[in-house]
Amino acid sequence: MELRLYDTLTREKRPFMPLDANNVRMYACGPTVYDFAHIGNGRAAIVFDVLFRVLRHRYGAEHVTYVRNITDVDDKINERAARDYPGVPLNEAIRKVTELTYQQYQDDVTALGCLPPTVQPRATEHIPEMRAIIEKLIAGGFAYVAEDHVLFSPQAMNAANSVLPRYGALSKRSLDEMIAGARVDVAPYKRDNTDFVLWKPAKPGEPSWPSPAGITVEGRPGWHIECSAMAWKHLGEKFDIHGGGIDLVFPHHENELAQSCCAFHSDRMANVWMHNGFLQLESEKMSKSLGNFFTIRDLLAEWPGEVLRLAMLKTHYRSPLDWTRKAAEEAARTLDDWYEVAGDAEPGLPSPAMVEALYDDLNTAQAMAVLHGLRSAAASSEQSRKELAGSLRLLGFLSESADAWKSRKQQASGIDAAAVEALIAERTAARARKDFKESDRIRDQLAAMGVVIKDSKEGTTWEVAR
Ligand code: AMP
Ligand code: ZN
């Protein structure tokens, strides 16, 4: 079976050929840590977690390196630190904000069923690598110093006669059009209005580091150079897959690609560029100002993480995803059923048909169709039950036992399991003495409590009604 992935740069689905099958390397842009992550960020984490799992399945768990960075230098972080920790020295306050937010993010995405990436580098721990790339770019004529800033020149890149890709190729923008369309109030130290910042002087009190290129005042990096530096350090000059949300294609990824290719005189930074579509809420753009905004934390208070994960994976990762309550309810019902059927099954090999769907550019929507077919077969086949369990695990589901799943739901619904069991025992006794009036009465009593019972040869089981 061939693995095929869609590449944003070439706009085609291609067979995936790792540079080194013993070490398949992927990078995904992670969170800027100043506040709770929203469910759109959750979607990005889940999508690249599925990719990570698929690669591990294909190449072996120990042959895949997944780097997801933590952006801990940002104006929003500085503002939050000053607001939340008045009186605390800014650098200390910043550390508190980033530590706390990082831990929250970690807990949230773990609850969503995401495996920890192999490395989670922090921007602030890669300043020397950033300075080194900046020095290379200046030496190569792609960047220049002006008023204590270092700027990258896309024009210089496109003028270079070499293996370099064209600036604008990833986002399909023409540099000439960008020049024509750029705002006029451009910072005076820029030679061209499309030049972007690699390094800038720090404002008083802001975190700062010794500057590159002989600049005497301390400074701080631009956002794009952070990812070029972290990817280089942990994955090398060229690696297999670079990912993130579709909003990052321009300018972030276009600029990362430009920096890395120019610094290393390379024709590419990553072989495949992958971008997840945006998540919107009830058909509207998710935004704080509209008030239709959910953090992962908000939703985890109401739903188990696997429910959120399933609701997201029903849609192909490149399509926009409309988040609705109805989708979560439906996912919850599906998971209740899967847990009941396969939660305690010995996991077998995942279904080849499901793996084939995932190998087709992570077609999780098609994978769901396969799972539903397997679920039907599992009603009468132990083999299918095992295959269903193995398939669900590959996708990051069934992380708890069937019992744990059920009791969590009971707790959430406030139903007293012991009282239910006692009523069921009374009903079984009534049925045994053929007192059907009493057994029906108990069934109604349970229904009024929100409990549905099911009789079978093995006895009576129950679940919380939805
Ligand atoms: P940020 O912390 O905003 O830099 O975003 C972290 C990751 O989440 C990036 O890969 C973003 O592209 C992605 N992301 C942000 N908002 C959304 C959204 N509404 N839907 C899907 N992905 C998003
Ligand atoms: Zn990035």
Side-chain angles (χ1 to χ4, degrees):
M1 252 189 267
E2 197 172 56
L3 168 60
R4 291 155 61 83
L5 297 173
Y6 182 87
D7 179 8
T8 308
L9 179 65
T10 55
R11 292 205 176 157
E12 58 177 2
K13 222 192 280 184
R14 271 185 284 119
F16 174 68
M17 312 280 191
L19 293 163
D20 173 3
N22 282 315
N23 185 17
V24 181
R25 291 161 284 159
M26 62 180 274
Y27 185 98
C29 293
T32 304
V33 283
Y34 67 97
D35 202 352
F36 284 108
H38 58 66
I39 53 166
N41 304 134
R43 185 183 193 194
I46 290 171
V47 163
F48 291 101
D49 177 69
V50 169
L51 175 64
F52 184 37
R53 288 172 184 268
V54 166
L55 293 173
R56 284 159 58 101
H57 178 74
R58 187 174 176 88
Y59 298 99
E62 65 286 9
H63 298 303
V64 184
T65 304
Y66 171 23
V67 178
R68 184 179 64 207
N69 73 286
I70 298 159
T71 296
D72 59 353
V73 195
D74 189 90
D75 285 340
K76 291 193 281 285
I77 298 174
N78 302 347
E79 284 160 23
R80 188 56 66 112
R83 188 195 81 178
D84 290 356
Y85 300 97
V88 177
L90 188 61
N91 281 333
E92 215 176 289
I94 285 169
R95 191 79 199 170
K96 283 182 196 286
V97 169
T98 58
E99 275 300 326
L100 177 70
T101 315
Y102 167 67
Q103 202 46 55
Q104 287 164 346
Y105 179 80
Q106 207 61 12
D107 295 346
D108 286 349
V109 298
T110 302
L112 293 177
C114 298
L115 297 170
T118 323
V119 193
Q120 300 198 65
R122 290 165 173 272
T124 49
E125 287 166 5
H126 296 74
I127 305 285
E129 287 79 6
M130 295 179 208
R131 276 199 299 261
I133 294 180
I134 291 172
E135 299 283 3
K136 285 177 197 287
L137 291 173
I138 295 173
F142 302 104
Y144 60 94
V145 178
E147 295 183 23
D148 296 332
H149 292 67
V150 184
L151 294 136
F152 183 94
S153 164
Q155 260 100 319
M157 174 178 177
N158 281 8
N161 188 11
S162 68
V163 297
L164 297 176
R166 216 173 23 79
Y167 185 85
L170 182 67
S171 55
K172 305 282 180 287
R173 288 166 195 238
S174 119
L175 188 54
D176 289 341
E177 281 168 21
M178 282 188 243
I179 295 165
R183 292 177 7 206
V184 274
D185 56 339
V186 167
Y189 47 79
K190 290 191 182 179
R191 283 185 198 158
D192 289 299
N193 52 18
T194 47
D195 296 349
F196 63 87
V197 168
L198 299 173
W199 190 266
K200 58 187 167 189
K203 298 193 194 86
E206 273 180 355
S208 63
W209 294 268
S211 295
I215 298 171
T216 49
V217 297
E218 292 216 329
R220 47 186 279 217
W223 172 32
H224 318 303
I225 196 73
E226 298 174 10
C227 284
S228 283
M230 289 184 269
W232 176 39
K233 169 83 182 281
H234 299 283
L235 299 176
E237 294 181 1
K238 242 190 237 190
F239 51 96
D240 296 296
I241 301 169
H242 192 129
I246 190 80
D247 58 319
L248 298 185
V249 174
F250 189 86
H252 186 52
H253 287 170
E254 190 74 62
N255 290 353
E256 273 187 44
L257 185 158
Q259 294 160 166
S260 295
C261 289
C262 291
F264 308 123
H265 304 287
S266 179
D267 61 336
R268 67 194 64 188
M269 179 182 189
N271 265 341
V272 186
W273 289 84
M274 292 176 68
H275 294 97
N276 64 273
F278 246 42
L279 181 145
Q280 44 188 24
L281 273 189
E282 312 276 355
S283 303
E284 278 190 82
K285 189 175 180 291
M286 191 169 66
S287 86
K288 274 187 175 155
S289 55
L290 289 171
N292 61 344
F293 180 88
F294 285 126
T295 63
I296 301 173
R297 218 28 91 90
D298 291 335
L299 291 181
L300 285 176
E302 207 179 339
W303 308 97
E306 289 190 17
V307 167
L308 309 182
R309 185 177 179 93
L310 177 58
M312 300 224 197
L313 292 183
K314 286 182 181 177
T315 303
H316 190 275
Y317 77 93
R318 281 194 278 124
S319 305
L321 186 150
D322 194 21
W323 182 263
T324 61
R325 210 188 148 73
K326 202 164 143 275
E329 285 166 357
E330 206 177 290
R333 277 193 297 273
T334 303
L335 272 162
D336 287 344
D337 180 52
W338 284 347
Y339 263 100
E340 192 172 321
V341 175
D344 290 332
E346 172 97 18
L349 287 177
S351 139
M354 188 196 73
V355 172
E356 194 175 346
L358 295 175
Y359 281 6
D360 179 17
D361 191 32
L362 309 185
N363 192 341
T364 53
Q366 176 60 28
M368 292 300 146
V370 174
L371 289 173
H372 287 303
L374 259 184
R375 159 65 184 94
S376 305
S380 56
S381 150
E382 184 58 21
Q383 176 64 25
S384 302
R385 212 162 76 88
K386 289 181 174 169
E387 200 171 308
L388 177 62
S391 304
L392 288 172
R393 275 166 204 258
L394 172 59
L395 271 178
F397 296 108
L398 301 190
S399 62
E400 24 191 287
S401 69
D403 275 350
W405 180 265
K406 201 167 153 183
S407 66
R408 181 221 282 260
K409 198 168 131 195
Q410 288 154 12
Q411 275 164 13
S413 63
I415 288 173
D416 178 352
V420 172
E421 299 288 350
L423 280 168
I424 288 178
E426 271 179 46
R427 178 173 168 273
T428 306
R431 275 156 57 101
R433 57 176 196 268
K434 303 217 180 325
D435 183 353
F436 295 113
K437 207 170 149 207
E438 174 65 0
S439 76
D440 285 351
R441 190 195 63 73
I442 297 173
R443 175 192 287 270
D444 292 346
Q445 187 182 344
L446 287 164
M449 290 163 66
V451 170
V452 184
I453 54 177
K454 238 191 262 176
D455 296 315
S456 72
K457 284 198 294 288
E458 286 79 41
T460 304
T461 56
W462 65 280
E463 61 180 59
V464 181
R466 284 240 176 233

